[in-house]
Amino acid sequence: MRPRRKARLERRDPCGVSGARGRMGRAVGQVLDAREDLVVAARFDRGETPDLSLCDVVIDFSTPDASVELARHVAARGGPALVIGSTGLSDDQEAEITKAADKVAIVRSGNFSLGVNILVGLVERAAARLDAADWDIEVLESHHRKKVDAPSGTALMLGEAAAMGRHADLAELRIAAREGITGERPVGGIGFAALRAGGIVGDHTVLFASEDEVLTLSHSAIDRSLFARGAVAAAVWVKARSPGLYDMQDVLGFRQA
C-alpha cells in the first residue's frame, strides 16, 4: 500500500506559493494541502530564492515589488506560469507584469472570488442589454467596520463592468455617495453606496432599475478562504496556457462567450 500511495502523490501537479507566510499565502497553502491533484513544491517569501524548476505554476500574494521581481525572474527563465494576487501595483509595476507576460502565462486579478468574477461578467452583459435611458444602475456594498476605503475595490470592478457593457468610461458615469439636496439622478449614471458595520466579510449588489421593474445581481462572501480557492482554480487553468496576461474573466470563460 505504501508504494501505491507514493505513486499517487508523484502524479500531483507541483505549485509554488510566494508570500507563503502572509495571511493569503497561508490560506493558499492550506487549500493546496487539501487537494489530491496538487502539491506545494516550494514556499517562499520576499528575499528568498526558491528552486522554481520544481513548479508548474506559482501563486503569488506578496508585495508589489516582490511580485514584479518574481515576474521578471520567471520571464527570464521561461516559466513557470504565475497567478498574481498582490494589490496596490503602480502603473510602472503593472507595465512590468505585462512585459513578463510576453514570455510566460500570468493570471492577474484584484479579486479571485469565483462568485464575484461571475458576477462581474453578468453585470457587463446585463448593462449591455438594458438601455441606459430606461435603466438606472446602482452598486451597493457592505464590509466590516475596520475597512478603511470606500467604495471597495470590488464595487469599482463591478462599476467598471457596467460601464464597459455600455461602452463608456466609469469616470464619466460615476455618481458618488449622496447627501443633501442632490437634484434628479442623471440619466445613464452609475451610483455607489457603502455600508460599514460589524464583521461583514463583503456583500456586493448591483441593482438595475426601470420604471416598471428591478433586477438585482448580488454576491455575499462568507469565508475569506474563498479568495484562496479562486487563486488555486486560476493556477490549475493557467499552468498549461500560452504566454499572455489573463484575468479571472478568462479563467471562467467569459472572454469566449
Side-chain angles (χ1 to χ4, degrees), residues 74-96:
V74 300
R77 65 187 304 279
L82 284 180
V83 173
I84 298 178
S86 300
T87 58
L89 277 73
S90 68
D91 290 343
D92 288 344
Q93 289 169 328
E94 293 278 9
E96 289 282 352

Side-chain angles (χ1 to χ4, degrees), residues 115-116 118-128 130 137-141 158 161-162 203-209 214-220:
V116 162
I118 289 174
L119 178 61
V120 167
L122 294 174
V123 166
E124 180 178 345
R125 281 155 179 72
L130 300 176
I137 300 177
E138 292 285 322
V139 182
L140 319 173
E141 56 101 343
L158 293 167
D203 292 341
H204 294 87
T205 296
V206 182
L207 183 148
F208 296 84
V214 174
L215 169 65
T216 302
L217 302 175
S218 64
H219 176 271
S220 295

Side-chain angles (χ1 to χ4, degrees), residues 71-72 74-75 82 84 94-108 241-246:
R72 287 174 180 158
V74 300
L82 284 180
I84 298 178
E94 293 278 9
E96 289 282 352
I97 301 296
T98 301
K99 182 179 178 181
D102 290 337
K103 303 293 185 182
V104 295
I106 299 175
V107 173
R108 165 91 172 90
R241 299 288 161 174
S242 300
L245 185 61
Y246 305 96

Side-chain angles (χ1 to χ4, degrees), residues 222-246:
I222 298 171
D223 189 320
R224 288 179 177 83
S225 66
L226 66 91
F227 304 113
R229 289 193 293 273
V232 171
V236 171
W237 181 88
V238 77
K239 61 186 176 65
R241 299 288 161 174
S242 300
L245 185 61
Y246 305 96

